[in-house]
Amino acid sequence: MHKHKRMRSMKTDKLIEEAIKIRDKAYVPYSKFQVGAALLTKSGKVYTGCNIENAAYPVSCCAERVAIFKAISEGETEFQEMAVAADSPRPVPPCGSCRQVMSEFFSKTMQIHLSNLKKQTKSFTMEELLPFSFGTDDMS
């Protein structure tokens, strides 16, 4: 567990299951590394995403961003928690690009649950994942 021991709720366990399940839809012909994400909104709806690769690697999109962009495109802007899962030796960490996008839409205290297929899970707040992040306040 992360340095702050947190109890996982049934809601969190279901979110992790959704992240694991959506991995099957990942389009990963190059890396073969499937990632799934599930995002719970404050309205109670869950948006899922999987990574989608492209032969021109920079235009690929990670599971976390797919889930966030789906939610935003449907008008959702308030989020409760997110789960991310992959077949990795440790709970899968989000890349830097995903952390930046997450910091744009998630509160500093929102929980992000990182997991692998063995269901080893570490939970972090947004602030723990990306401390001292760049945001709109830096542009004034």
Side-chain angles (χ1 to χ4, degrees):
M1 283 302 281
H2 187 254
K3 64 184 174 187
H4 303 290
K5 188 171 182 163
R6 296 180 177 108
M7 295 296 290
R8 282 199 342 232
S9 67
M10 235 158 109
K11 176 175 63 175
T12 300
D13 288 337
K14 284 188 82 128
L15 207 56
I16 291 167
E17 284 296 327
E18 288 296 316
I20 289 171
K21 187 171 140 188
I22 194 67
R23 288 176 61 256
D24 290 336
K25 295 188 178 177
Y27 177 74
V28 291
Y30 310 105
S31 73
K32 311 287 192 245
F33 187 71
Q34 298 172 297
V35 181
L39 176 60
L40 177 63
T41 67
K42 288 196 175 167
S43 70
K45 189 163 183 185
V46 174
Y47 289 86
T48 58
C50 57
N51 51 328
I52 302 167
E53 295 179 344
N54 190 283
Y57 292 147
V59 298
S60 298
C61 197
C62 299
E64 299 92 325
R65 286 181 281 149
V66 170
I68 292 166
F69 296 160
K70 281 170 67 175
I72 296 294
S73 72
E74 293 295 319
E76 297 278 2
T77 58
E78 295 185 354
F79 306 105
Q80 284 189 39
E81 60 185 306
M82 177 178 247
V84 184
D87 189 4
S88 52
R90 64 178 181 162
V92 65
C95 74
S97 295
C98 286
R99 291 176 197 218
Q100 181 61 42
V101 169
M102 292 159 81
S103 75
E104 178 80 14
F105 298 107
F106 299 170
S107 73
K108 291 182 184 299
T109 59
M110 188 174 125
Q111 293 287 302
I112 297 112
H113 312 286
L114 310 177
S115 188
N116 60 16
L117 298 188
K118 295 177 224 152
K119 299 208 181 141
Q120 295 169 324
T121 304
K122 287 192 177 201
S123 296
F124 298 89
T125 63
M126 186 63 246
E127 178 70 15
E128 290 169 328
L129 273 181
L130 188 62
F132 197 62
S133 64
F134 180 81
T136 55
D137 293 345
D138 296 304
M139 297 171 63
S140 40

